[in-house]
Amino acid sequence: MSVSRQTSDPDGDTPTGLDYIQSNQKICPACPQKIIFCIDLANEMDETLQGTTGVGIKGTLGSDVSRILLTRRLLLRFIHLKLMFNNSHEFAIVVLNEKAVWHMDFSNDEMLLEMAISELYPTGHYNTFDTTSLFTTIAQHVGMARDDVMVQVILVYGRSAVIPDPVDQKIMEILHANPRFQLDAVYLHGKKNATNCPQSVYDRLTELENPAGRSYFFEVTRHAKRYAIAMTQLLGHPLQRAEQEEDSYELKDETVTVDLVDDDVA
């Protein structure tokens, strides 16, 4: 599946990115968000991401760090910044084992959220992931009737050799039918080898995208910096974002991907 930017049409038939933003602002301008972090707790989250010297606040991305430790740091930063934008935002946490489990209910109390995030540690090796359980869990805890709240799901998946199960289309379509529901994803993975199949995993994850929305999907192999950049881009309000700049959902060669990130982003 490809993602392309919308361009202006001289005849006025094709909506521009600005048209999209303006039309959505009329529906729900800068509305509060309910943000659900869905965090993989498979053992692969203990694997190491490489730091980049001098990057991050006070060089916080300068040292090698495990995926789960950096995830905890990035979630705390994300929450702090979002509450600076709007203190009405609320956050919840779902953990992913073989199934999705609701870990913490919605709150905007930074202290309670920090305590819940500090409890996120890898819990075992899992050979399967029940994708339908993720959508079922979300549907059970989120009231989708309100038109003044935007629900954003941020999925962090870290398994290179475990392709998520196909999702039940009915429950996914129920959630996607709501224009104020958005699912984004960050995929942390290793290189392809005899057991790892990251492209197949990524292809399955992108099947969760709402074709009518503007989901952001990111993939991270080795560099902590790339993960931090992805989470920073997800700070923008889903109703006010442009289309993702990625031109394809095909995973790139690792060396090329790293070179592009390091050259293009300060």
Side-chain angles (χ1 to χ4, degrees), residues 208-219:
L208 306 180
E209 179 191 18
N210 181 1
R214 295 205 171 197
S215 297
Y216 277 13
F217 283 74
F218 302 91
E219 54 91 15

Side-chain angles (χ1 to χ4, degrees), residues 11-198:
D11 297 324
D13 296 328
T14 303
T16 65
L18 181 59
D19 293 331
Y20 177 89
I21 293 172
Q22 289 175 337
S23 65
N24 278 273
Q25 285 179 330
K26 292 176 183 177
I27 295 173
C28 197
C31 61
Q33 290 181 253
K34 287 184 176 291
I35 299 170
I36 307 171
F37 299 115
C38 302
I39 309 300
D40 196 350
L41 295 187
N43 284 344
E44 289 91 329
M45 291 296 286
D46 256 339
E47 295 181 7
T48 300
L49 293 170
Q50 294 181 3
T52 303
T53 303
V55 175
I57 300 173
K58 297 182 180 179
T60 52
L61 296 179
S63 302
D64 293 353
V65 61
S66 71
R67 292 175 178 175
I68 192 64
L69 178 55
L70 184 56
T71 297
R72 294 201 298 264
R73 292 176 182 173
L74 293 176
L75 293 186
L76 292 174
R77 184 184 73 167
F78 187 100
I79 290 168
H80 181 71
L81 291 173
K82 289 293 287 189
L83 290 176
M84 288 179 63
F85 302 155
N86 186 337
N87 60 13
S88 296
H89 294 322
E90 294 183 330
F91 309 85
I93 300 172
V94 171
V95 297
L96 311 182
N97 300 313
E98 289 186 341
K99 294 185 176 183
V101 178
W102 194 264
H103 179 67
M104 179 180 177
D105 207 358
F106 289 104
S107 175
N108 58 7
D109 186 318
E110 287 193 69
M111 184 173 295
L112 291 179
L113 288 162
E114 182 175 357
M115 292 175 60
I117 290 170
S118 71
E119 297 171 350
L120 301 180
Y121 286 92
T123 54
H125 177 74
Y126 304 107
N127 293 318
T128 63
F129 176 62
D130 180 355
T131 315
T132 298
S133 72
L134 174 63
F135 284 84
T136 302
T137 299
I138 292 170
Q140 289 173 345
H141 289 84
V142 177
M144 301 299 292
R146 293 179 59 183
D147 61 1
D148 60 342
V149 174
M150 179 74 194
V151 177
Q152 180 184 14
V153 175
I154 298 178
L155 169 64
V156 177
Y157 191 76
R159 308 178 202 182
S160 301
V162 180
I163 302 173
D165 295 340
V167 66
D168 182 280
Q169 292 296 314
K170 183 176 181 180
I171 183 64
M172 186 171 70
E173 289 171 2
I174 290 174
L175 290 174
H176 282 332
N178 191 304
R180 292 167 187 81
F181 176 84
Q182 182 71 66
L183 184 142
D184 303 309
V186 181
Y187 178 36
L188 311 175
H189 65 91
K191 297 178 66 174
K192 180 180 178 180
N193 57 30
T195 57
N196 290 346
C197 50

Side-chain angles (χ1 to χ4, degrees), residues 199-216:
Q199 184 64 60
S200 297
V201 175
Y202 198 50
D203 291 344
R204 179 59 53 80
L205 292 177
T206 58
E207 292 176 5
L208 306 180
E209 179 191 18
N210 181 1
R214 295 205 171 197
S215 297
Y216 277 13

Side-chain angles (χ1 to χ4, degrees), residues 198-266:
Q199 184 64 60
S200 297
V201 175
Y202 198 50
D203 291 344
R204 179 59 53 80
L205 292 177
T206 58
E207 292 176 5
L208 306 180
E209 179 191 18
N210 181 1
R214 295 205 171 197
S215 297
Y216 277 13
F217 283 74
F218 302 91
E219 54 91 15
V220 178
T221 49
R222 296 185 304 168
H223 283 226
K225 176 180 176 181
R226 185 172 175 87
Y227 190 7
I229 290 170
M231 291 300 294
T232 300
Q233 288 184 274
L234 290 174
L235 283 168
H237 198 292
L239 290 179
Q240 300 170 342
R241 63 171 50 157
E243 289 187 356
Q244 190 174 18
E245 294 185 1
E246 300 286 345
D247 60 358
S248 172
Y249 282 146
E250 181 179 355
L251 301 188
K252 302 175 183 178
D253 176 80
E254 183 178 23
T255 303
V256 175
T257 300
V258 172
D259 286 344
L260 286 174
V261 172
D262 288 344
D263 288 344
D264 294 345
V265 182

